[in-house]
Amino acid sequence: MDDLSPSLVTRITGVIHKQIASRQLSLGARLPSIRSLAEAQGVSKSTVVDAYDRLVAEGVITSRRGSGYFVAAPTAPLALSDIGPALDRQIDPLWLSRQSLETPDDYLKPGCGWLPPSWMPEDDIRRALRAVARNPKSNLVEYATPLGHLPLRQILSRRLGELDITVAPQQIMLVDSATQAIELLCRFLLKPGDTVLVDDPCYFNFLAKLRAHGVKVVGVARTAHGPDMAAFSAALEAHKPRLYITNTALHNPTGTTLSPLMAHRLLKLAEAHDLTIIEDDIYADFEPEPSARLTAFDGFERVIYVGGFSKTLSASMRCGYICVRGDWIDALIDLKIATIFSSHQLPAELVCAVISDGHYRKHVELIRQKLAALRGRTVESFERMGFKIGVVPQAGMFLWCELPGGRDASELAKRALAEKIVLAPGNAFSLSQSASGFLRFNIAQSQDGRVFEFLKRALG
Amino acid sequence: MDDLSPSLVTRITGVIHKQIASRQLSLGARLPSIRSLAEAQGVSKSTVVDAYDRLVAEGVITSRRGSGYFVAAPTAPLALSDIGPALDRQIDPLWLSRQSLETPDDYLKPGCGWLPPSWMPEDDIRRALRAVARNPKSNLVEYATPLGHLPLRQILSRRLGELDITVAPQQIMLVDSATQAIELLCRFLLKPGDTVLVDDPCYFNFLAKLRAHGVKVVGVARTAHGPDMAAFSAALEAHKPRLYITNTALHNPTGTTLSPLMAHRLLKLAEAHDLTIIEDDIYADFEPEPSARLTAFDGFERVIYVGGFSKTLSASMRCGYICVRGDWIDALIDLKIATIFSSHQLPAELVCAVISDGHYRKHVELIRQKLAALRGRTVESFERMGFKIGVVPQAGMFLWCELPGGRDASELAKRALAEKIVLAPGNAFSLSQSASGFLRFNIAQSQDGRVFEFLKRALG
């Protein structure tokens, strides 16, 4: 039907919408009969039938058998919370997520943790949508199998080989995002009262998530080459943690990468203290040359590998995955079924369609090149304003910058928000709250002149 | 590229796949140069370039700068667990989920909890995929807002009005499924050691989920019109439960529906004992005429409403939702961000596209008619075999059937599985394990002659 006369049907639904909005048709009022509206509007009766069907589907009107169509209850008005961000919320690990997710499109987001939409492979996704729509083998209606779409797991198995990670497709479980992967693993591994190690600073949502799990969290300072090994060792002795969650490569927020030497030492300590490690590798595709992975060294003895596509492919159709030792898979499947029953099949097929096309490799290569081109001059601009950048990352989107003159990042973030700029204050990432003088910038989101103009003015 | 010469590119990737499979090209071997393969196969060089790009994307080959293309590591072989179901697993709440999800397509699934794929609106979904692909306003790459796609929440707000549930869009949170909705609410409301009431029997995954949450679960017998009210009252007195999870309408597995009288009594008891209730209404669209909803009576004082589209629209692109009192939304958003960061945007837009089209109403009407047409004769056939059906449901897909002669449903289910038939034994649904003589049948999945043939033989 929508292939025949969409514009006519849309015109008729528009007429009714307008009459309701202007109170010509009020709540409970009977709509014109199909014949009379068709005559009045000069369209066929079937066009009006289709338009009324659509309005019924939208819930705008209802039909009563034998007596016609009536205006249904109106939608309740929007609350302010749907329109604007709260300006006074205390800055905590969730503050930044909410500012980044909730602020309208006219806000600048140099503190945001993802790339601008224009950097994402939208054309490839549209092509994948069309391909999945026309492929008679697409599974559009049934649940995914417990581990998820096998062709995607086979591709992941091969791709991970490039990081020297040997993993069979049946050791890979698809889930709906890397965040959900870590959520499931926390449910799998932790009980309230356990202790978990994180980097300080670390991805702020680790802190929010672990707080929600009721576990004790201990931070270990992050150096240029990985966690401070003396502090890490001392924390193992003192707190007997069950788990360590980390980004090995292109760590969020510092952009630093674990060296092979540190990886080896860390795994020796982990073994001695029976520590399990979640290696969250969602920035893998930003690396031009792969660095050392804990999972590659460890071979799934005690390291669990987590990846996803929200940062390089799409955050609208999310797909993450867990790679784990074979003898844990069965219990993980049980927990996945109990908590979410099944992960999304269609997004997995779409991700599979996008990445099995040569375009995706070119797309991530292009992202790397664009970031590389911007990184140097962004660093230069920030340094000119007085920021100190201890380690300039080799790749990725983040710059971890120390404010000049001991200024407070949270204060600055609040001022910025009033000017519709979302900054990422350091303490949102810091368990010890020792990063009040830092901001995390996203290179790709910091190119608007108003960001620099604001910073210059605020710091001047 | 895929629009120009997909068959040629596919032919070339096929040639390479075959040479690798037959060991003509072994691990690490260099592939023919682009020019020589183009000449040998009579295709253009750009076709070979595209084919090699695709093979690189699949991880089948790798490229080394300046030195050509090489065969990458092969995929590890499939484990048996990827191919066939385990036959010896003990029947527990997870057993049935795994049999239903893991068994191959040639199994019959009269015990399964969803409709056959041929009943689902696949054409509408293909149309929605094309519509979303061509709509320039589709959000294909960015995170959803914390509450999710506003147009869908507006439609839900209007549709719920038809159940006498008055809920504003800003009280509705989209999540990735009704199961995830309940998971999030359990995280929100419960702590280990709390007590939760369920119906006995109830949806088996409630039992698996609550077990995973470490709470105490108490069952209340389900009667034809709702929970046994004396037992419900006694359980409130004795166990001081925090929460009751139930299907009000078309209860799984019994197909029974709460009467308005019972709804009113139940809410009075809940108020007196400060009990929170989750009304899981995923079978709403199966009802020809809406019955009483606890949420409609309660107005979000203590009832939380959960819905979803996996049963009537698609289990491949899942979308569920939570309707809750306005003053709980903010804390729920925080928990959603901490646990999954954001729900899927694209599936929400696809669901929105499907249900805002008049076709969806016709589709669910057709499902209701088909089930109504099958229900009578299926009941008759089962009764002829000696099954007892206490309450024949007014709608929905389930029949809760007592086996003749005190036979054990689990034994029967194991025998059936050996003949590639998945049954749903009663005790998977029963906390008290008092339903060993019952099976849940799915009317739509029970029409194959082999199901009746097996049952006659097994019961004969």
Side-chain angles (χ1 to χ4, degrees):
Chain A
M1 230 159 301
D2 64 343
D3 299 320
L4 284 175
S5 56
S7 59
L8 283 181
V9 173
T10 305
R11 206 190 80 205
I12 302 302
T13 60
V15 166
I16 301 298
H17 274 297
K18 206 171 285 175
Q19 293 190 354
I20 293 172
S22 66
R23 312 280 175 196
Q24 277 178 269
L25 282 170
S26 56
L27 176 61
R30 187 202 215 111
L31 271 74
S33 74
I34 285 164
R35 204 183 55 184
S36 69
L37 188 62
E39 281 172 10
Q41 294 290 328
V43 297
S44 71
K45 281 192 279 181
S46 70
T47 299
V48 177
V49 169
D50 284 355
Y52 279 15
D53 270 351
R54 194 173 298 176
L55 291 166
V56 169
E58 289 175 11
V60 172
I61 64 174
T62 56
S63 74
R64 284 181 222 145
R65 205 177 306 228
S67 55
Y69 293 84
F70 298 83
V71 179
T75 293
L78 283 178
L80 276 179
S81 59
D82 253 28
I83 298 163
L87 287 175
D88 55 354
R89 189 181 162 119
Q90 214 199 319
I91 292 178
D92 67 11
L94 284 160
W95 178 91
L96 186 54
S97 302
R98 295 195 59 159
Q99 296 309 330
S100 299
L101 290 170
E102 287 176 352
T103 48
D105 286 345
D106 63 331
Y107 277 58
L108 300 171
K109 301 181 181 176
C112 164
W114 50 89
L115 295 173
S118 62
W119 286 47
M120 301 297 265
E122 198 174 303
D123 289 343
D124 294 347
I125 296 170
R126 289 189 195 275
R127 189 164 38 231
L129 282 165
R130 291 193 300 268
V132 167
R134 71 173 167 257
N135 184 351
K137 288 188 185 158
S138 302
N139 170 4
L140 301 178
V141 298
E142 292 193 90
Y143 288 101
T145 57
L147 291 180
H149 196 46
L150 179 59
L152 180 55
R153 289 187 284 122
Q154 287 172 327
I155 291 175
L156 290 172
S157 162
R158 293 199 201 96
R159 280 170 51 105
L160 288 165
E162 294 166 29
L163 298 176
D164 291 326
I165 294 171
T166 304
V167 60
Q170 67 270 23
Q171 285 174 269
I172 303 175
M173 171 185 278
L174 302 186
V175 287
D176 290 329
S177 66
T179 304
Q180 191 184 67
I182 295 171
E183 180 64 19
L184 194 66
L185 291 168
C186 285
R187 295 289 305 270
F188 188 64
L189 297 167
L190 301 176
K191 52 184 193 309
D194 280 350
T195 298
V196 178
L197 292 189
V198 296
D199 300 306
D200 191 345
C202 70
Y203 172 44
F204 49 81
N205 212 36
F206 290 164
L207 301 175
K209 181 182 286 296
L210 292 169
R211 190 183 296 171
H213 278 275
V215 295
K216 191 178 153 198
V217 187
V218 172
V220 174
R222 177 88 183 188
T223 73
H225 304 290
D228 178 317
M229 219 39 81
F232 193 83
S233 177
L236 289 175
E237 291 287 351
H239 302 286
K240 316 265 176 252
R242 169 82 186 90
L243 181 68
Y244 171 48
I245 307 183
T246 189
N247 309 126
T248 308
L250 303 179
H251 171 257
N252 180 4
T254 63
T256 56
T257 292
L258 194 73
S259 68
L261 177 72
M262 291 294 189
H264 181 61
R265 283 194 192 161
L266 201 156
L267 284 172
K268 277 200 297 186
L269 285 171
E271 192 178 354
H273 291 82
D274 198 18
L275 178 75
T276 301
I277 301 172
I278 296 177
E279 181 166 50
D280 173 17
D281 202 18
I282 57 167
Y283 299 105
D285 281 346
F286 288 86
E287 277 196 317
E289 298 292 334
S291 59
R293 292 300 190 280
L294 289 168
T295 308
F297 286 23
D298 170 72
F300 296 107
E301 277 295 313
R302 60 186 59 258
V303 181
I304 303 170
Y305 184 89
V306 165
F309 293 95
S310 298
K311 299 298 180 188
T312 48
L313 201 161
S314 170
S316 166
M317 41 176 238
R318 303 181 74 194
C319 184
Y321 52 94
I322 298 170
C323 306
V324 75
R325 47 192 290 177
D327 56 346
W328 286 7
I329 277 288
D330 213 51
L332 256 187
I333 286 178
D334 281 351
L335 188 62
K336 181 183 181 184
I337 290 174
T339 53
I340 63 164
F341 199 68
S342 97
S343 51
H344 282 61
Q345 173 68 13
L346 179 65
E349 290 195 24
L350 288 165
V351 165
C352 193
V354 171
I355 69 168
S356 55
D357 184 315
H359 291 221
Y360 179 71
R361 295 244 165 186
K362 287 175 196 154
H363 158 71
V364 293
E365 173 60 28
L366 187 66
I367 287 180
R368 290 192 290 258
Q369 286 170 9
K370 283 164 79 173
L371 285 171
L374 293 173
R375 192 174 299 108
R377 45 184 163 102
T378 309
V379 166
E380 211 175 286
S381 306
F382 280 136
E383 287 182 337
R384 222 179 294 131
M385 285 188 285
F387 284 102
K388 255 187 13 211
I389 302 172
V391 179
V392 175
Q394 294 299 302
M397 63 179 107
F398 297 130
L399 288 180
W400 182 242
C401 303
E402 191 172 358
L403 281 158
R407 277 161 208 267
D408 183 76
S410 297
E411 284 310 311
L412 193 68
K414 282 181 190 165
R415 266 182 73 184
L417 198 60
E419 301 194 24
K420 300 192 174 184
I421 297 174
V422 178
L423 295 180
N427 272 350
F429 304 84
S430 172
L431 184 69
S432 62
Q433 296 290 289
S434 59
S436 65
F438 286 80
L439 287 167
R440 185 195 69 182
F441 283 98
N442 177 333
I443 294 170
Q445 298 270 15
S446 299
Q447 300 305 316
D448 192 299
R450 286 170 289 172
V451 173
F452 291 92
E453 189 272 323
F454 166 80
L455 289 172
K456 268 186 208 151
R457 185 157 36 81
L459 299 175
Chain B
M1 231 161 300
D2 63 342
D3 299 319
L4 284 175
S5 55
S7 59
L8 283 181
V9 173
T10 306
R11 206 189 82 206
I12 301 302
T13 58
V15 166
I16 301 298
H17 273 298
K18 206 170 288 176
Q19 292 190 354
I20 293 172
S22 66
R23 312 281 176 195
Q24 276 178 270
L25 282 170
S26 56
L27 176 61
R30 187 202 214 112
L31 270 74
S33 75
I34 286 164
R35 203 183 55 185
S36 68
L37 188 63
E39 282 172 8
Q41 294 290 329
V43 297
S44 71
K45 280 192 281 182
S46 69
T47 299
V48 177
V49 168
D50 284 355
Y52 279 14
D53 269 351
R54 193 172 298 176
L55 291 165
V56 169
E58 291 175 10
V60 172
I61 65 174
T62 57
S63 74
R64 284 183 220 143
R65 204 176 305 227
S67 56
Y69 293 85
F70 298 83
V71 179
T75 293
L78 284 178
L80 276 179
S81 60
D82 254 27
I83 299 164
L87 288 176
D88 54 355
R89 189 180 162 119
Q90 215 200 318
I91 292 178
D92 67 13
L94 285 161
W95 178 90
L96 186 54
S97 301
R98 296 195 58 160
Q99 296 309 332
S100 299
L101 291 170
E102 288 177 350
T103 47
D105 287 344
D106 63 330
Y107 278 59
L108 300 171
K109 301 182 182 176
C112 164
W114 50 90
L115 295 172
S118 62
W119 286 47
M120 301 296 266
E122 197 173 305
D123 288 345
D124 294 347
I125 295 170
R126 289 188 195 276
R127 188 163 38 231
L129 282 165
R130 291 194 299 268
V132 167
R134 72 174 167 256
N135 183 351
K137 288 187 182 158
S138 301
N139 170 5
L140 301 178
V141 299
E142 291 194 271
Y143 288 101
T145 57
L147 291 181
H149 196 47
L150 180 59
L152 179 55
R153 288 186 286 122
Q154 287 171 327
I155 291 176
L156 290 172
S157 162
R158 293 201 202 94
R159 279 170 53 105
L160 288 166
E162 295 166 29
L163 299 176
D164 291 327
I165 295 171
T166 304
V167 60
Q170 67 270 23
Q171 284 174 270
I172 303 176
M173 171 186 278
L174 303 185
V175 288
D176 290 327
S177 66
T179 304
Q180 192 183 68
I182 296 172
E183 179 64 19
L184 194 66
L185 291 168
C186 285
R187 294 288 305 269
F188 187 65
L189 297 167
L190 301 176
K191 52 184 193 309
D194 280 350
T195 298
V196 178
L197 292 190
V198 295
D199 300 307
D200 191 346
C202 71
Y203 172 44
F204 50 80
N205 212 37
F206 289 164
L207 301 175
K209 181 183 285 298
L210 293 169
R211 190 184 294 172
H213 278 275
V215 294
K216 190 179 154 198
V217 187
V218 173
V220 174
R222 178 89 184 187
T223 74
H225 304 290
D228 177 319
M229 218 41 80
F232 193 84
S233 176
L236 289 175
E237 292 287 351
H239 302 288
K240 315 266 176 252
R242 171 83 187 89
L243 182 67
Y244 171 47
I245 308 183
T246 190
N247 310 126
T248 307
L250 304 179
H251 171 256
N252 180 3
T254 64
T256 58
T257 291
L258 195 73
S259 68
L261 178 71
M262 291 293 190
H264 181 62
R265 283 194 192 160
L266 200 155
L267 284 172
K268 277 200 298 186
L269 285 171
E271 193 179 352
H273 291 83
D274 199 19
L275 178 76
T276 300
I277 300 173
I278 296 177
E279 181 167 49
D280 173 17
D281 203 17
I282 56 166
Y283 299 105
D285 281 346
F286 288 87
E287 276 195 318
E289 298 293 335
S291 59
R293 293 301 191 279
L294 290 168
T295 308
F297 287 24
D298 171 72
F300 296 107
E301 278 295 314
R302 57 187 60 258
V303 181
I304 303 168
Y305 184 88
V306 165
F309 294 95
S310 297
K311 300 297 181 189
T312 48
L313 201 160
S314 169
S316 165
M317 40 175 239
R318 303 180 74 195
C319 184
Y321 52 95
I322 298 170
C323 306
V324 76
R325 49 191 289 176
D327 56 344
W328 287 7
I329 277 287
D330 213 51
L332 256 188
I333 287 178
D334 281 352
L335 188 62
K336 180 183 181 184
I337 290 175
T339 52
I340 63 164
F341 199 68
S342 97
S343 51
H344 282 62
Q345 173 68 14
L346 179 65
E349 291 196 24
L350 288 165
V351 165
C352 193
V354 172
I355 69 168
S356 55
D357 184 317
H359 291 221
Y360 179 72
R361 295 243 165 185
K362 287 176 196 154
H363 158 71
V364 292
E365 174 60 29
L366 187 66
I367 287 180
R368 290 193 290 258
Q369 286 171 8
K370 283 164 80 174
L371 284 171
L374 292 174
R375 191 174 299 108
R377 46 184 162 102
T378 309
V379 166
E380 211 175 287
S381 305
F382 279 136
E383 287 182 337
R384 221 178 294 131
M385 284 189 285
F387 282 101
K388 255 189 8 216
I389 302 172
V391 178
V392 176
Q394 294 299 302
M397 62 180 109
F398 297 131
L399 288 180
W400 182 242
C401 303
E402 190 172 359
L403 281 158
R407 278 162 208 266
D408 183 75
S410 296
E411 284 309 310
L412 193 68
K414 281 181 191 165
R415 265 182 73 183
L417 198 60
E419 300 193 25
K420 300 193 173 183
I421 297 175
V422 178
L423 295 180
N427 272 350
F429 304 85
S430 172
L431 185 69
S432 63
Q433 296 289 289
S434 59
S436 65
F438 286 78
L439 286 169
R440 185 195 69 183
F441 283 98
N442 178 332
I443 295 170
Q445 298 270 14
S446 299
Q447 299 305 317
D448 192 299
R450 285 170 289 172
V451 172
F452 290 92
E453 190 271 322
F454 167 79
L455 290 172
K456 268 186 210 151
R457 185 156 35 83
L459 300 175

